[in-house]
Amino acid sequence: MDIMLFHSAQGLRPAVHAAADRLRAAGHEVHVPDLYDGRTTETVEEGMKIKEEIGSDELLRRAVAAAAPHSERGLVYAGFSLGGSLAQNLALADEKARGLLLLHGTSDIADGASVDDLPVQLHVADPDPFEPHDWLNAWYLRMRRAGADVEVFRYAGAGHLYTDPDLADFDSEAAEQTWRVALAFIESL
């Protein structure tokens, strides 16, 4: 399976490379673009400053440019937090998308978005300050209305970026469960 994996607002940190290596070890081809040109941060706030400096439109353009050479084969789009938002936007616009794996983040859904039974899996902390319950409920309904086949996994007490072992949010039990479920999801596509 070809997977396009996008980093969070904190940049292409070691945890993203480790995730790509985990997916490669399971037999997948993984593409990991650096949308921040080598910059990484230790905090979400610093990462959001870089995001604002680059701009949402430019980040989306960079994500599209990274995916374009591989999209003809049918990609699984995946991403961490901000990267999940970008992955979601690309997957909903790519009729050849094979699946969507969201880790820690979602995005708004355009009116009229439509997919044909796109498999979608979301893993998110519960509660998550960036993905409140009301938002996630509305997001789930809109994704279903768009035609996606959605599964949501919530991890009680985990921090926002709970899969990154170098951050205070890290939760080893939730991270291992996430990867176990996510790998099975990708294998099923």
Side-chain angles (χ1 to χ4, degrees):
M1 191 68 59
D2 261 351
I3 302 170
M4 182 63 56
L5 180 63
F6 295 109
H7 61 74
S8 76
Q10 291 182 249
L12 189 51
R13 296 174 47 80
V16 181
H17 289 295
D21 289 344
R22 185 184 294 241
L23 292 164
R24 288 182 186 114
H28 305 292
E29 185 172 333
V30 185
H31 312 280
V32 188
D34 184 351
L35 304 178
Y36 278 12
D37 299 322
R39 294 185 285 177
T40 61
T41 69
E42 294 301 315
T43 69
V44 173
E45 294 77 21
E46 292 169 344
M48 294 307 283
K49 287 179 186 174
I50 294 173
K51 175 192 176 267
E52 294 305 318
E53 175 189 317
I54 295 170
S56 296
D57 289 345
E58 176 61 16
L59 284 173
L60 185 58
R61 189 202 64 73
R62 291 177 184 188
V64 168
H70 311 286
S71 63
E72 189 62 30
R73 295 188 299 238
L75 288 168
V76 172
Y77 291 93
F80 296 92
S81 192
L82 168 68
S85 175
L86 293 166
Q88 178 185 307
N89 286 322
L90 270 62
L92 291 178
D94 182 352
E95 63 187 31
K96 292 188 178 192
R98 303 277 306 273
L100 174 60
L101 174 62
L102 301 170
L103 302 162
H104 322 296
T106 62
S107 181
D108 204 1
I109 301 164
D111 290 334
S114 178
V115 293
D116 188 18
D117 293 322
L118 178 71
V120 177
Q121 195 173 84
L122 168 64
H123 297 267
V124 64
D126 185 17
D128 187 318
F130 299 101
E131 302 288 327
H133 286 222
D134 289 350
W135 167 262
L136 286 176
N137 291 338
W139 173 86
Y140 176 85
L141 292 172
R142 290 185 63 138
M143 284 296 278
R144 295 289 297 157
R145 200 173 313 128
D149 181 14
V150 183
E151 293 181 289
V152 178
F153 295 87
R154 297 179 191 216
Y155 299 87
H160 176 65
L161 285 173
Y162 65 84
T163 58
D164 188 328
D166 297 326
L167 297 176
D169 285 349
F170 182 62
D171 182 315
S172 62
E173 187 176 317
E176 281 308 309
Q177 184 177 351
T178 294
W179 285 114
R180 191 169 42 255
V181 172
L183 286 168
F185 169 70
I186 291 170
E187 289 299 323
S188 74
L189 301 176

